[in-house]
Amino acid sequence: MDKTVKLTFCIVLTGGLMLAALSPARAQDTVRVSLDSCLRYANSHNLQVQTARLATESSQATLTGAKLRFLPSVNASASQGYGWDSRTGSTSNTQYGINGSLTLFSGLSNLRTLQQSRVSAEQSELKVQQTENSIGVQIVQSYLTILMNQERLTYQQEVLETSHQQQMEGEVKYQVGRILESDYMLLQANYTSAQSEIENTRLTISDNINSLNVLLCNTDGPTIATAELEDTLHAADRTIPPYDSITAWAHNALPDWQINDMDVTIAEYNVELARSAFLPTVSLNAGYGGGWVPAVTAGSASFGDNSSLSLGVSVPILNRGSSRTQLKQSKIALRQAEMQRNQRQIDIDAEIYNLYLGTQQALNRYRASEALVEAYRASYEVYVIKFSEGAVTTVEMLQQQNQYLSALNDYLQNKYSYLLAEKQMDIYTGKEIKL
């Protein structure tokens, strides 16, 4: 899966680079990618996600080790010794042996460790999903911020074109005495301000794209840009599901609840492990060995072997209260885990509720500002025509322009605030993320 995502993304980036190389006049072209592509690429390349996956591998290794604790341990040994005696001269001897042990009962500690390791392995996989959700929200926010500023730039370019035309018309009117010098200076200042706003927006977009590249861990790759948002998006077409449905979907989709429950389960196994210290340990031991001493004089060579099998029982009697202390501490840790789980669940429920209310409020503001910006735009266009005909003053026309731009900024802010809240809700409820 990861290789497929990486190959697809690399093909897109490579194709964009080839197009840029074949078009020298457009050397500043960037590779456009969709929001879905960004999310999939981040899930494969973001360092936080990769770190979470490494934690999963570590948990799997711990689980494997817990399973192997039920197997016997076997050791082999061999030795060759040399010596010298003034009476007999040099001597040597050979020793070898093999020993094995198997724990038959360890106060259930091996079993509890295995059960706890299984839960930890499952939890680590859920934490990968949790990290992906967190990074996903950040990517959606970064992506939508770029789209918002790109849309703002489009409107600003329209205003710049109109301001440039008004400045040229004002110059002609000023030369023939139809407007005052102060009015002409206002038109010049308005055109300069429009140019400055566009340049600042472009710089902001560049910073937004850099932030998105950092989230994608694409710092060494080509510059990417967002795909354009369809013009068919209207506030009147957007709806929000009932709160009960959102809560039910979130409980099924979000890994946070299971992670919190697993924290409690792990703490419960720690209590059982502490209790196992009070139980006896039963082990089975077996061994076989032999040795050879070569002959020094005729008939003096010797060879011997031996074998053993034993069953050992170890019963804890007194360890200066360390087992009781460990048990008490593990019980306290369990109570803390239960309280933390309950608090986290309360916090998550509150977060979902606040997100639902915030989404509804953002949609209401989006609907109101959409109607308002259309009204101000129509009024501004009328004033532009009247200004060209000399029916309104420069100040009156610029006042309408400022009101339109203010309404436009509110509209864009409300529109993309709503989209961010909507997409965050989609992440929480396990829905496909698309614009």
Side-chain angles (χ1 to χ4, degrees):
M1 180 68 178
D2 290 346
K3 292 183 177 179
T4 303
V5 172
K6 183 174 183 180
L7 178 60
T8 303
F9 197 84
C10 288
I11 290 175
V12 174
L13 297 182
T14 304
L17 286 175
M18 291 176 63
L19 289 174
L22 293 173
S23 304
R26 300 179 61 187
Q28 299 300 321
D29 282 359
T30 55
V31 180
R32 293 193 177 276
V33 293
S34 65
L35 175 59
D36 179 64
S37 297
C38 287
L39 291 170
R40 287 186 287 112
Y41 188 82
N43 288 343
S44 300
H45 295 80
N46 181 271
L47 296 181
Q48 294 183 42
V49 176
Q50 292 186 47
T51 300
R53 288 203 174 97
L54 287 176
T56 299
E57 294 181 16
S58 177
S59 297
Q60 289 294 335
T62 302
L63 176 59
T64 301
K67 292 177 180 178
L68 295 177
R69 293 179 66 175
F70 289 90
L71 299 178
S73 61
V74 180
N75 300 294
S77 62
S79 65
Q80 178 69 46
Y82 295 94
W84 184 85
D85 187 273
S86 59
R87 184 172 57 86
T88 60
S90 62
T91 61
S92 66
N93 65 83
T94 302
Q95 300 288 333
Y96 59 87
I98 184 170
N99 298 282
S101 64
L102 175 64
T103 301
L104 301 178
F105 182 75
S106 60
L108 299 177
S109 64
N110 287 346
L111 177 62
R112 300 308 182 202
T113 300
L114 175 61
Q115 293 171 329
Q116 186 183 62
S117 298
R118 283 175 176 166
V119 175
S120 296
E122 294 174 1
Q123 187 187 55
S124 63
E125 293 178 357
L126 292 174
K127 286 184 176 180
V128 173
Q129 182 184 348
Q130 187 182 48
T131 304
E132 289 177 347
N133 288 345
S134 176
I135 297 299
V137 171
Q138 297 178 54
I139 288 178
V140 169
Q141 182 177 11
S142 182
Y143 194 94
L144 290 177
T145 301
I146 297 173
L147 287 180
M148 178 182 69
N149 286 316
Q150 286 176 338
E151 187 171 350
R152 176 180 283 116
L153 181 61
T154 300
Y155 288 117
Q156 288 176 337
Q157 288 171 337
E158 294 177 0
V159 172
L160 176 66
E161 183 179 353
T162 302
S163 299
H164 181 53
Q165 182 179 356
Q166 290 169 348
Q167 191 260 348
M168 291 189 299
E169 292 176 357
E171 183 178 4
V172 175
K173 292 179 180 180
Y174 170 64
Q175 290 176 350
V176 298
R178 292 184 57 188
I179 63 173
L180 299 174
E181 181 182 7
S182 58
D183 288 339
Y184 176 56
M185 293 175 64
L186 284 174
L187 293 175
Q188 287 181 314
N190 184 56
Y191 178 59
T192 302
S193 176
Q195 289 177 312
S196 176
E197 289 296 327
I198 285 181
E199 181 61 25
N200 287 337
T201 300
R202 285 173 176 162
L203 292 173
T204 301
I205 292 174
S206 177
D207 181 61
N208 298 150
I209 291 176
N210 180 67
S211 298
L212 180 58
N213 276 315
V214 170
L215 286 172
L216 295 175
C217 294
N218 185 42
T219 54
D220 297 329
T223 301
I224 66 171
T226 57
E228 295 181 359
L229 189 64
E230 295 182 2
D231 294 333
T232 56
L233 178 63
H234 297 290
D237 301 329
R238 317 300 285 195
T239 57
I240 300 176
Y243 173 70
D244 291 341
S245 299
I246 291 175
T247 302
W249 294 336
H251 274 267
N252 292 329
L254 276 180
D256 302 64
W257 275 279
Q258 292 179 333
I259 291 174
N260 295 335
D261 288 338
M262 288 178 176
D263 283 337
V264 175
T265 303
I266 291 172
E268 290 173 344
Y269 283 129
N270 282 331
V271 173
E272 296 301 322
L273 284 170
R275 285 180 176 148
S276 66
F278 294 91
L279 300 177
T281 301
V282 181
S283 59
L284 180 66
N285 300 283
Y288 173 79
W292 167 260
V293 179
V296 177
T297 60
S300 64
S302 65
F303 172 81
D305 63 347
N306 63 82
S307 60
S308 64
L309 179 65
S310 64
L311 181 68
V313 179
S314 174
V315 180
I317 297 177
L318 181 65
N319 59 2
R320 292 172 292 186
S322 61
S323 296
R324 293 186 180 277
T325 300
Q326 182 64 34
L327 177 59
K328 184 176 181 179
Q329 290 175 337
S330 61
K331 287 181 177 180
I332 294 174
L334 173 59
R335 292 176 58 190
Q336 290 175 330
E338 291 172 340
M339 292 178 182
Q340 291 173 354
R341 175 195 59 185
N342 295 337
Q343 184 60 53
R344 289 171 185 165
Q345 290 176 345
I346 292 173
D347 293 340
I348 295 172
D349 285 334
E351 183 178 358
I352 294 174
Y353 182 70
N354 291 333
L355 178 60
Y356 172 78
L357 291 183
T359 305
Q360 187 65 62
Q361 291 170 342
L363 180 57
N364 292 337
R365 289 192 294 268
Y366 176 27
R367 287 170 177 168
S369 60
E370 185 178 54
L372 193 62
V373 75
E374 289 299 324
Y376 273 109
R377 181 182 181 89
S379 177
Y380 169 62
E381 290 174 349
V382 170
Y383 268 75
V384 169
I385 296 174
K386 287 185 176 181
F387 175 75
S388 299
E389 297 172 349
V392 296
T393 65
T394 303
V395 173
E396 291 174 329
M397 185 276 296
L398 293 179
Q399 286 177 343
Q400 287 298 317
Q401 177 180 294
N402 291 336
Q403 290 177 351
Y404 164 62
L405 292 177
S406 177
L408 177 62
N409 286 330
D410 290 342
Y411 162 71
L412 292 176
Q413 192 67 43
N414 292 331
K415 174 182 177 179
Y416 286 95
S417 293
Y418 164 71
L419 286 176
L420 174 60
E422 182 187 61
K423 296 307 127 186
Q424 185 174 354
M425 190 178 296
D426 288 344
I427 291 176
Y428 282 14
T429 55
K431 294 184 178 181
E432 181 182 2
I433 309 301
K434 59 182 181 179
L435 296 176

